[in-house]
Amino acid sequence: MAIVALAAGAPLYAEHVANTTPERNNLTGKIVVDGETRDVVSLDGIPVGPTWQREYLLGADANGRDVAVRLLYAARNSLFIGLTAALITTLLGIALGLLAGYYRGATDWVISRAMDVLWAVPVLLLGVALGVALTLGGLKIGPLEIRGGSLWIPALIIGVVSVVYLARPLRGEVLRLREQEFVEAARAQGASGPRIMVSEILPNILTTVLVFFPLLVANAVLLEAALSFLGAGVQEPAPSWGLMIGSGIKVLITQPALTIAPGVMLVLSVLSLNVVGEAVREAINPRARVRLEQ
Amino acid sequence: MARFIIRRLLGMLLVLFAVSVIVFAIFNVIPNGAPENRMAGKQSTPQQIEAIRREWGFDQSVLTQYVKTMEKLLTGKNFISYNQQRPVYDELKAGLPRTVSLAIGAAILWLVAGVALGVYSALRAGSKADFAINVLAIIGISVPVFWLGALVNHYLGYKLGWFPNGGYVPISEGGLWEWAYHLFMPWTVLSILFIGVYSRVLRSTILDTLDEDFVRTARAKGLSERRVVTHHVLRTSLAPIVTLWGLDFALVVTGGAILTETVFDIQGIGSYYADSVGQLDVPPVMAVTMLGAVVIVVVNTLVDIAYAALDPRVRLS
């Protein structure tokens, strides 16, 4: 909750308190700290540390950008990617689970083998490969065109590679539900396949979806950070916690804050999502689980 | 049973084929992906580029290129990376001992710690210790391994000097102690996520098993609680954990620990993959993904067959 509020307030903070934008470089500027004028980035390239005042609250990065402002904007990007990816996973997972579980036979065979293929490649390996490829080339599907640096690319990749987590359990559930009396009753009344899926089966699998959703968002946020860290996710100059950790590590010796701060934000958001997920899971279905890989 | 096994094996080949096509396609449909331009370097003439295209077969159709690449991948002959222009399998052989060293230590650590914590918290369910273990487990699965790894490496390795700052020392050079000493931090950091997952999975499995009829029967027979737990509850609850362990171990061995390897400079298969993918170097990327896919699919199939052999109900579905 707090993270969402911070993310929403990011532009306000940037404009009124820190007086900069997340992508504005400031290599030659000077600021006054404790009555002493200092370079934002010193001549030998060392950025200023946390100042604990309005501008550069948590210091600057190597480009002279305000770390606190970038952290908040990164929160927006992470949440956007996490939520979009989880939504993509959910929609795809529901569609595939319903089709495979309800029609069985050839449809089920094709979908299940496709899931086997996704399962066979480690999520991170596939994500990195797709990330690098799509970031360079962008993506064109018919009239839809996504530029290389767009946030939609990591969101889409994470959404698609995570589909197995949801589609498999849903398929099992649909297989069980389709034999129940109320489905048979609907079929006896002459309801069509799609109608039964949407109005009879779908409402019954929504609780499972609800249990998985926060866990999927948590997983997506973590995966986004990992991909960005490896250079296959969010692209500079857009801010991302994973990206900030990646560049922070290079100056860990002089400026540990550049690594610690984004990591703490990342841990807190993933942790809160996992705690929410845990609470929902305890309340509804103690067996749901998302397989984690790092 | 024979038919079941044959069907599974055919499915396995199909999945592997699909993986190879997809990975190959990812790198051959992207614009600006043409490797000959990068291989020729910045100051190259069109003739040089043309010569490289001819020599490496980039002028042929995508289908021919796919077939050629797969041929090289399967036979290992002339299977050379685009950028370093070194045999891919030699590089893999160099990286394998490093990655296996990382995987073995971490896997033992996370299995032992995960099982110990899981059993303890399940048997003390509801207690303060159980609550504390659960909280730690959730924190464990929420911490990004590359961040934790970098901090641990910096503070324990660089600042305090308790441990060497990453890197890898083979047993043949530094002996068993140096080898383990260098790997201690990577092992710990890599296993934290898995310890969190395993302890929670095991805890819920044990709690489910405790409600089973056969546990009640065992208790009714007058067996001691200790015997009921060790002989009846644990034996059944550990099966899914061991399956999971096999899969996760396979995952790490085949390059799944990219982040840990990168942060601690292990230079194993994961780092090789990360470097190659950044340079769009198709042969190593194909090799590592296929290696991973083969191991995962084989382990999965073996598990399925073992389950089917043990439980006839599985074969029907």
Side-chain angles (χ1 to χ4, degrees):
Chain A
M1 288 301 136
I3 300 275
V4 173
L6 283 177
L12 280 176
Y13 176 81
E15 204 173 308
H16 297 294
V17 184
N19 195 17
T20 180
T21 67
E23 293 170 14
R24 184 188 295 160
N25 290 349
N26 187 2
L27 284 171
T28 50
K30 292 188 189 306
I31 48 161
V32 180
V33 185
D34 301 333
E36 189 185 333
T37 310
R38 288 170 56 186
D39 292 326
V40 172
V41 180
S42 74
L43 287 177
D44 38 1
I46 297 169
V48 72
T51 60
W52 309 115
Q53 56 190 34
R54 281 174 61 167
E55 292 182 6
Y56 296 106
L57 175 78
L58 293 172
D61 67 8
N63 285 327
R65 296 175 295 201
D66 189 317
V67 172
V69 172
R70 280 178 72 75
L71 276 184
L72 295 182
Y73 272 90
R76 310 184 116 200
N77 291 347
S78 280
L79 283 179
F80 169 79
I81 292 175
L83 287 173
T84 318
L87 272 177
I88 293 173
T89 308
T90 307
L91 293 180
L92 275 177
I94 290 179
L96 294 175
L98 277 176
L99 289 173
Y102 188 78
Y103 284 121
R104 300 191 294 189
T107 320
D108 182 24
W109 192 87
V110 171
I111 293 176
S112 296
R113 290 298 82 73
M115 291 300 111
D116 283 351
V117 171
L118 270 186
W119 198 250
V121 188
V123 168
L124 201 55
L125 294 195
L126 188 62
V128 170
L130 281 170
V132 169
L134 292 181
T135 307
L136 276 171
L139 186 63
K140 247 189 218 161
I141 316 170
L144 214 75
E145 197 184 334
I146 306 177
R147 278 180 311 102
S150 164
L151 292 182
W152 283 94
I153 287 184
L156 202 63
I157 292 171
I158 296 168
V160 172
V161 297
S162 316
V163 160
V164 233
Y165 300 140
L166 190 60
R168 282 213 167 159
L170 284 186
R171 170 181 170 270
E173 210 164 318
V174 175
L175 276 176
R176 191 175 53 76
L177 283 168
R178 78 186 296 283
E179 307 300 335
Q180 305 259 310
E181 279 105 359
F182 66 90
V183 175
E184 214 168 297
R187 215 177 289 139
Q189 284 175 350
S192 66
R195 203 194 145 78
I196 294 179
M197 279 190 269
V198 172
S199 55
E200 306 291 333
I201 297 182
L202 184 60
N204 284 294
I205 57 174
L206 281 183
T207 44
T208 310
V209 174
L210 191 68
V211 169
F212 269 100
F213 195 76
L215 302 177
L216 287 173
V217 180
N219 206 30
V221 170
L222 216 47
L223 195 54
E224 180 270 316
L227 288 183
S228 303
F229 175 77
L230 291 168
V234 176
Q235 301 296 313
E236 283 275 6
S240 144
W241 293 327
L243 210 56
M244 293 171 78
I245 295 174
S247 51
I249 284 179
K250 291 178 196 129
V251 289
L252 196 55
I253 294 172
T254 49
Q255 282 302 345
L258 290 185
T259 306
I260 296 174
V264 169
M265 294 289 281
L266 186 56
V267 173
L268 287 180
S269 13
V270 177
L271 190 61
S272 53
L273 283 164
N274 274 331
V275 170
V276 170
E278 184 67 8
V280 179
R281 198 176 70 113
E282 286 283 304
I284 301 175
N285 170 11
R287 279 171 196 273
R289 200 168 288 134
V290 171
R291 196 178 130 137
L292 287 149
E293 284 171 15
Q294 278 203 7
Chain B
M1 192 67 202
R3 262 194 68 194
F4 175 83
I5 293 179
I6 291 172
R7 224 173 53 212
R8 290 295 320 191
L9 289 178
L10 285 179
M12 195 174 106
L13 290 178
L14 192 79
V15 166
L16 290 177
F17 172 69
V19 170
S20 73
V21 171
I22 290 171
V23 177
F24 191 77
I26 289 176
F27 289 94
N28 276 281
V29 293
I30 44 169
N32 306 325
E36 61 268 21
N37 294 335
R38 286 191 308 279
M39 288 161 69
K42 276 185 184 144
Q43 292 166 335
S44 56
T45 59
Q47 287 83 355
Q48 283 173 320
I49 292 180
E50 196 48 46
I52 293 176
R53 278 173 67 84
R54 192 117 3 100
E55 192 192 338
W56 290 73
F58 298 140
D59 52 347
Q60 286 158 332
S61 72
V62 175
L63 189 69
T64 326
Q65 287 191 45
Y66 169 76
V67 174
K68 286 251 165 79
T69 308
M70 285 310 286
E71 204 180 283
K72 289 179 191 166
L73 188 134
L74 292 174
T75 59
K77 267 184 215 146
N78 280 328
F79 196 46
I80 292 165
S81 65
Y82 293 163
N83 295 300
Q84 305 290 327
Q85 311 212 340
R86 287 179 41 79
V88 173
Y89 284 117
D90 286 359
E91 297 278 308
L92 283 185
K93 255 181 236 156
L96 198 63
R98 294 157 174 266
T99 302
V100 170
S101 302
L102 173 67
I104 285 181
I108 292 174
L109 195 61
W110 85 60
L111 183 67
V112 172
V115 168
L117 290 176
V119 171
Y120 186 80
S121 72
L123 296 182
R124 300 257 188 296
S127 70
K128 275 183 191 151
D130 173 38
F131 180 76
I133 291 175
N134 263 317
V135 170
L136 283 178
I138 296 190
I139 295 178
I141 60 171
S142 304
V143 176
V145 49
F146 57 93
W147 178 70
L148 186 67
L151 289 187
V152 166
N153 200 19
H154 178 65
Y155 285 105
L156 301 187
Y158 177 78
K159 279 258 165 90
L160 295 173
W162 290 355
F163 295 99
N165 227 357
Y168 170 83
V169 177
I171 298 182
S172 57
E173 275 174 33
L176 201 61
W177 166 249
E178 279 297 309
W179 172 80
Y181 188 45
H182 276 81
L183 282 167
F184 184 76
M185 281 196 302
W187 282 343
T188 317
V189 168
L190 177 59
S191 48
I192 280 181
L193 165 87
F194 293 105
I195 294 175
V197 176
Y198 282 39
S199 64
R200 284 153 52 85
V201 171
L202 189 58
R203 177 181 184 272
S204 64
T205 325
I206 291 181
L207 289 181
D208 286 346
T209 316
L210 282 172
D211 287 338
E212 296 271 355
D213 289 340
F214 68 85
V215 176
R216 204 175 323 137
T217 313
R219 283 204 180 117
K221 281 197 298 190
L223 296 179
S224 71
E225 189 61 27
R226 191 188 182 84
R227 202 180 158 79
V228 172
V229 169
T230 51
H231 280 69
H232 294 86
V233 178
L234 282 188
R235 256 174 92 173
T236 36
S237 312
L238 282 178
I241 287 290
V242 171
T243 314
L244 195 63
W245 186 75
L247 266 178
D248 285 335
F249 181 70
L251 204 82
V252 174
V253 167
T254 53
I258 303 183
L259 296 166
T260 313
E261 287 193 14
T262 312
V263 169
F264 287 106
D265 191 26
I266 307 265
Q267 294 176 12
I269 293 179
S271 323
Y272 184 45
Y273 181 87
D275 294 345
S276 307
V277 106
Q279 303 165 324
L280 297 179
D281 200 337
V282 181
V285 172
M286 289 283 286
V288 177
T289 8
M290 288 310 290
L291 180 70
V294 168
V295 175
I296 292 175
V297 169
V298 168
V299 172
N300 259 332
T301 309
L302 287 180
V303 168
D304 279 358
I305 293 176
Y307 275 176
L310 296 172
D311 185 352
R313 281 173 305 178
V314 179
R315 254 173 282 163
L316 298 172
S317 60

